[in-house]
Amino acid sequence: VMFFVWKSARSRGRQSINIMTIKHDLGRGNAFVMGLLIGSTAALLIHRLATSRPSTLPNEKHDSASLNDDQNNQTQQCLPPEIRSEMLSRNALYFASSNGMPRIESSHVLVVGLGGVGSHTAHMLARSGVGYIRMVDFDQVTLSSLNRHAVATLKDVGLPKAIVLAHHLREICPDEEKLVLDPVVKMYTGDKERDGSMMDPPS
């Protein structure tokens, strides 16, 4: 599972990527370790977002796999500021001293791999107020995924993990201006030509 936080390299006049890779090899029945890994990963990413420079990237959608027709046909819902503020009130209290919430809300994060660790991490980043999340996974939900995936249920079996996760996160924050979801149903290979613009910050 890989997590990328896009930052602006102002001094160089170009965009750089701050990369953090997490490899896991957990044995059977090691649920405590799995929970510890997921919680630590999400907390570390949120902390780094809150203490880093505010992103200067515009909040636009990447050209990738879209959500299904039902969601595309829905009228965009806007959350009143007071509702969104209350949803994130605990986070705001924690990061009040560093003025971290504006940085989190303007952050752009890429999560590659949406299995037992990646799905939980993307889930918690969305709940924490991150403004843009690109979620990459080529795979579909299977019956064997249901014991560890953050949101998938029986009705999601056979559907792309990225789309399933995006649907769930949209229910958490229906306002597309406050949370931009960019699901990409594609395999990450590490080859720039094959991956295309997958790794590029939103333009």
Side-chain angles (χ1 to χ4, degrees):
V1 180
M2 293 184 292
F3 311 98
F4 302 82
V5 180
W6 287 296
K7 292 183 178 179
S8 176
R10 295 179 179 176
S11 60
R12 300 179 182 178
R14 61 182 177 81
Q15 300 299 335
S16 63
I17 299 179
N18 183 19
I19 303 177
M20 176 169 55
T21 303
I22 295 183
K23 299 179 180 180
H24 63 284
D25 184 11
L26 302 178
R28 293 183 178 178
N30 212 341
F32 174 78
V33 176
M34 175 68 82
L36 183 63
L37 176 61
I38 293 167
S40 300
T41 301
L44 179 59
L45 280 173
I46 293 167
H47 176 73
R48 294 181 71 173
L49 292 174
T51 56
S52 63
R53 293 181 180 179
S55 173
T56 59
L57 299 174
N59 196 23
E60 296 181 2
K61 289 188 177 181
H62 178 259
D63 183 16
S64 64
S66 62
L67 304 185
N68 71 6
D69 293 338
D70 292 338
Q71 179 167 333
N72 288 334
N73 292 332
Q74 290 178 354
T75 302
Q76 178 179 338
Q77 300 184 42
C78 295
L79 289 177
E82 61 273 16
I83 298 296
R84 186 61 172 168
S85 177
E86 180 63 24
M87 289 173 66
L88 301 174
S89 59
R90 299 298 178 89
N91 304 60
L93 285 174
Y94 182 82
F95 293 114
S97 61
S98 62
N99 195 30
M101 278 310 300
R103 298 177 181 179
I104 291 174
E105 291 172 331
S106 64
S107 295
H108 300 69
V109 179
L110 165 64
V111 180
V112 180
L114 303 174
V117 175
S119 64
H120 285 272
T121 301
H123 183 193
M124 296 313 298
L125 289 173
R127 287 189 181 275
S128 299
V130 171
Y132 178 103
I133 305 176
R134 183 178 299 162
M135 301 162 289
V136 178
D137 200 310
F138 72 96
D139 205 1
Q140 298 177 341
V141 176
T142 63
L143 287 172
S144 63
S145 303
L146 300 181
N147 72 330
R148 60 190 181 276
H149 196 274
V151 303
T153 64
L154 280 171
K155 67 179 182 180
D156 299 316
V157 172
L159 300 177
K161 291 180 180 179
I163 301 299
V164 169
L165 186 57
H167 279 304
H168 181 84
L169 300 186
R170 181 56 66 210
E171 291 180 359
I172 294 172
C173 181
D175 194 325
E176 294 181 6
E177 293 186 358
K178 293 180 172 62
L179 174 60
V180 177
L181 298 171
D182 187 1
V184 179
V185 184
K186 187 175 180 180
M187 177 182 288
Y188 169 73
T189 66
D191 186 320
K192 178 63 177 178
E193 293 186 0
R194 295 178 63 184
D195 293 336
S197 59
M198 179 192 302
M199 305 296 292
D200 296 338
S203 58

